[in-house]
Amino acid sequence: FQSVTLLMHRLGVSQAMHGKIKSEQEIYRNLLRNQGAFYSIDEIGIMLQKVTQAAKGTGAAYYIAVIGALMEIYSKSQGILTITGDLKEEIKEGLMAELAKLNKLKDKGENPAKLEPMYQRLNQALMDADSGMRDPFLTIFGTTTPETFDATVNTENVKNGFIARALILRETENNPRWKDDFCAQELSDNLVMRLMGLYWGGHTHDASQHGQRVERQGDKVAIVTRPDASEMLDEIRDV
């Protein structure tokens, strides 16, 4: 879990990282600030239990729409995500409050060059709130105990596709054997540079620049299905 967090910090996208999910509104607000939202949640099973309890009417009401929001965003990863009018106004009010804070910092003599990336990010978020978020990207990485997670796997979460869209890795050995002479390796600069090349797509960025909007840049490269692969898909479809 800490390794994932460290990698995201070294890549310069930590401002798009979030450690908890509080409500549907917060999910949309995070995607307005940055095109990507990378959730890294320790004990994710506890959060999923709260969502399940809310759906049954025995938990906090602001958790009820969380799964629906996640599923909607998942289906709009190559499209435009719109939000409701009331939610739009609430989010815009919050963004305007953040802009007001930046203006106060500017009036107090804060370096304009330092504030400019944050101005751009907030102004882009305000425009997206009106027109819709294009190609939003949301991912969740979580760790938990099997007992906590299993309690959240119910019929509703299976039918709505939430569980089906998850890659679940389960450690079945409760008492793994000790590895002699094992020691954790430091994160190498070579690995960081290779990951940055993959993430930024060859564009030059200052990963430490505060306030830079995390978003996809450059053209998309389509991965097409070869004709022979299409024929094989047609064959197994009728099996």
Side-chain angles (χ1 to χ4, degrees):
F1 184 88
Q2 289 298 323
S3 297
V4 170
T5 304
L6 177 60
L7 280 171
M8 300 297 275
H9 276 272
R10 291 291 299 273
L11 287 174
V13 296
S14 57
Q15 70 186 48
M17 282 191 72
H18 312 287
K20 287 181 172 53
I21 295 178
K22 293 182 179 179
S23 65
E24 171 196 24
Q25 180 185 11
E26 183 203 38
I27 294 173
Y28 290 117
R29 186 185 294 114
N30 289 336
L31 283 170
L32 283 168
R33 292 193 180 99
N34 297 281
Q35 186 182 20
F38 313 126
Y39 287 90
S40 187
I41 305 174
D42 198 9
E43 296 298 342
I44 192 172
I46 295 176
M47 187 213 78
L48 293 175
Q49 283 184 343
K50 293 178 180 179
V51 172
T52 302
Q53 291 168 358
K56 294 179 180 179
T58 58
Y62 48 80
Y63 274 119
I64 293 177
V66 164
I67 297 296
L70 295 176
M71 298 301 296
E72 181 186 18
I73 294 165
Y74 180 89
S75 65
K76 300 297 192 303
S77 61
Q78 297 187 55
I80 297 176
L81 175 67
T82 57
I83 53 181
T84 64
D86 290 342
L87 183 57
K88 182 188 300 183
E89 292 305 314
E90 290 180 30
I91 290 176
K92 287 172 66 176
E93 287 178 5
L95 294 171
M96 291 299 294
E98 290 187 47
L99 279 173
K101 292 179 181 178
L102 288 183
N103 289 330
K104 289 182 179 179
L105 290 174
K106 185 177 180 180
D107 293 339
K108 291 180 179 180
E110 187 70 47
N111 184 0
K114 180 181 178 180
L115 299 177
E116 183 59 28
M118 288 179 276
Y119 271 114
Q120 293 179 1
R121 179 167 55 89
L122 289 172
N123 285 324
Q124 182 65 50
L126 284 168
M127 288 189 291
D128 287 345
D130 283 324
S131 60
M133 293 168 269
R134 185 175 297 276
D135 299 340
F137 182 85
L138 183 146
T139 182
I140 301 176
F141 169 78
T143 56
T144 190
T145 60
E147 293 78 12
T148 306
F149 176 78
D150 291 345
T152 67
V153 182
N154 53 31
T155 303
E156 182 180 352
N157 284 339
V158 172
K159 286 185 175 180
N160 64 24
F162 179 75
I163 297 297
R165 286 166 172 78
L167 180 63
I168 302 171
L169 306 179
R170 183 185 293 261
E171 174 58 74
T172 58
E173 180 58 67
N174 293 328
N175 186 24
R177 295 181 62 184
W178 180 264
K179 296 180 180 180
D180 294 331
D181 301 325
F182 172 81
C183 62
Q185 297 182 2
E186 294 292 331
L187 183 60
S188 68
D189 291 336
N190 180 53
L191 177 59
V192 172
M193 294 304 296
R194 292 182 67 180
L195 290 173
M196 288 182 70
L198 287 170
Y199 182 82
W200 294 113
H203 293 269
T204 302
H205 289 273
D206 179 4
S208 63
Q209 183 178 355
H210 181 68
Q212 184 179 30
R213 191 171 193 264
V214 176
E215 60 184 347
R216 182 190 61 80
Q217 299 192 22
D219 298 327
K220 291 183 179 179
V221 178
I223 301 176
V224 298
T225 303
R226 291 189 343 220
D228 56 337
S230 295
E231 292 178 4
M232 294 178 69
L233 288 171
D234 291 336
E235 291 177 8
I236 64 172
R237 187 177 296 119
D238 298 327
V239 174

